[in-house]
Amino acid sequence: MKLHKALAIEQIEHINFQYFVLSIRDGALAKLSQPGQFCQIRIQSLSLPRLHKPISIYDVDGDLVRFMIKRIGKGTQALSKLQCGDSIDLIGTLGKSFGIPQNNKVILISGGIGYPPLFFLNRRLKEAENQTYWLHGGNYSDDLFPCDEIWLLHKRSLSVNPHPGTPGLLHKRSLLEDAHTGLVSEGLIQRLNDHEYDLAYACGPIPMLKACHQICQSAGISMQVSMEAYMACGIGVCHGCAIPMWEGCKPVYRDVCSDGPVFDADAIRWEEL
C-alpha cells in the first residue's frame, strides 16, 4: 500500500552543517514503514525542483516518522530551509525492506548517509532479540554518528561546519576523538577476526558495499545491502535506477526503487558497478 499526501513538518533539527532531520506526524505512514524503505519527498509548491527526492526512513516513534537528510543538491537544500508547519508532498512507503531475523548475532556496516536506514533497522533488530554490533564510517567528522565503532577516513579530516559553537559541533568532536583512522571495511575485517556473526547488513557508497561483501563472503556470512541510486519516478516505471544482478546464472537488471533498495549482496554483479 502506498500513500500520496501533503503533510506538515512537525519538527526540523539541524544536526550539523550538512545533515538535518525532518519529522512528520502520520499514523498510517508510521504503521506502514519498515526498515530499508523510503519515501519520495518534495516541497509542496509549484516551484523547482519538480522531481521528488528518495529519502530513507530514519526512525518511527509512535505516529512520528523521521527522515535524516544530507544537503547535497538543490532539492535537499530546499528541504533544509523548511520550517515547522510547512508542507511537503510525500509518496510512500516505497521499496523492499530488510529481513528481520530472531535471536541472531548481527553486524551492521554503514558509511556517510548510509546511516539512517540502519538506525531504524538496528532498533527493530533489537526488538526481535538479536544481538547487534554497528560499525559506521565517514569522510569527515560531520559524517560521523553514534554507533558501536566509528571509522574516519582521515583523522585530520575536520568538520565542514564553518560556524564553531553551532548545534552538533561538540558532539562531532567527541565522536572524532573516539574514531579509528581508515576505512570502515578495515574495521569489519578486524571485527570478524575476533567474533562470529550470523548475518550482515550494510548501506553506503558502492565501493564500501563491494568491499564489505567480499569480506563477508570470504567469512561465510550472508549479507543484505541497501543500494543508493538516482531515482526519478521511485516506483519502477522509468527504470533509471536499474543495477546489474544475477537471477540464477542469468544476468538481469533490477530497479533499486521497486525491486530494492534492499538486495541479497550475492545476487549483485558488483564487477559491473
Side-chain angles (χ1 to χ4, degrees):
M1 179 180 177
K2 299 179 181 65
L3 304 176
H4 185 186
K5 57 175 65 177
L7 294 167
I9 300 298
E10 180 86 5
Q11 184 181 41
I12 181 166
E13 176 190 3
H14 292 274
I15 301 174
N16 55 46
F17 184 68
Q18 283 196 306
Y19 291 85
F20 62 100
V21 176
L22 288 182
S23 300
I24 57 174
R25 191 175 296 279
D26 188 87
L29 181 67
K31 187 175 181 180
L32 290 171
S33 298
Q34 298 297 326
Q37 291 186 308
F38 66 97
C39 293
Q40 289 279 79
I41 295 174
R42 70 181 291 269
I43 294 177
Q44 182 69 10
S45 72
L46 297 178
S47 62
L48 294 174
R50 296 186 182 277
L51 290 178
H52 289 72
K53 295 293 179 184
I55 308 294
S56 297
I57 298 169
Y58 169 53
D59 196 20
V60 173
D61 184 7
D63 60 358
L64 200 65
V65 182
R66 297 188 175 96
F67 302 92
M68 183 175 174
I69 305 169
K70 183 177 183 178
R71 299 197 305 177
I72 299 174
K74 291 182 179 180
T76 50
Q77 288 280 0
L79 288 171
S80 73
K81 296 177 181 178
L82 293 175
Q83 298 180 0
C84 294
D86 289 342
S87 293
I88 57 172
D89 185 78
L90 179 146
I91 305 171
T93 57
L94 301 172
K96 177 183 174 183
S97 62
F98 289 107
I100 307 293
Q102 292 275 343
N103 298 303
N104 279 2
K105 292 187 67 177
V106 179
I107 189 162
L108 300 92
I109 315 101
S110 58
I113 196 58
Y115 182 89
L118 294 196
F119 183 90
F120 189 16
L121 172 65
N122 191 40
R123 172 180 285 194
R124 290 294 172 86
L125 286 170
K126 289 182 176 180
E127 290 173 355
E129 299 182 350
N130 294 285
Q131 298 179 41
T132 67
Y133 191 85
W134 186 358
L135 300 98
H136 177 73
N139 289 332
Y140 299 93
S141 62
D142 272 8
D143 295 316
L144 303 185
F145 306 101
C147 61
D148 295 302
E149 188 174 309
I150 295 170
W151 284 76
L152 182 65
L153 184 57
H154 302 293
K155 196 73 171 183
R156 64 182 180 275
S157 295
L158 301 176
S159 170
V160 297
N161 190 337
H163 306 297
T166 55
L169 186 58
L170 293 177
H171 176 60
K172 296 305 167 192
R173 282 179 176 162
S174 65
L175 290 177
L176 183 60
E177 291 170 359
D178 295 333
H180 302 273
T181 304
L183 299 170
V184 70
S185 54
E186 297 173 30
L188 177 62
I189 293 172
Q190 294 179 18
R191 188 72 187 176
L192 295 185
N193 284 337
D194 300 324
H195 301 81
E196 294 184 359
Y197 291 94
D198 302 306
L199 183 64
Y201 296 89
C203 184
I206 286 176
M208 185 207 86
L209 296 180
K210 183 177 181 179
C212 290
H213 169 244
Q214 293 173 340
I215 294 165
C216 288
Q217 191 176 49
S218 298
I221 301 171
S222 60
M223 184 180 193
Q224 295 179 28
V225 296
S226 177
M227 299 296 291
E228 298 176 347
Y230 289 105
M231 300 177 189
C233 72
I235 56 174
V237 174
C238 70
H239 306 297
C241 60
I243 61 171
M245 300 192 67
W246 294 106
E247 193 172 87
C249 296
K250 179 182 177 183
V252 297
Y253 284 85
R254 293 288 179 257
D255 294 332
V256 172
C257 64
S258 56
D259 299 309
V262 176
F263 296 98
D264 179 348
D266 288 340
I268 297 173
R269 286 148 51 197
W270 293 104
E271 67 280 1
E272 298 180 36
L273 293 174

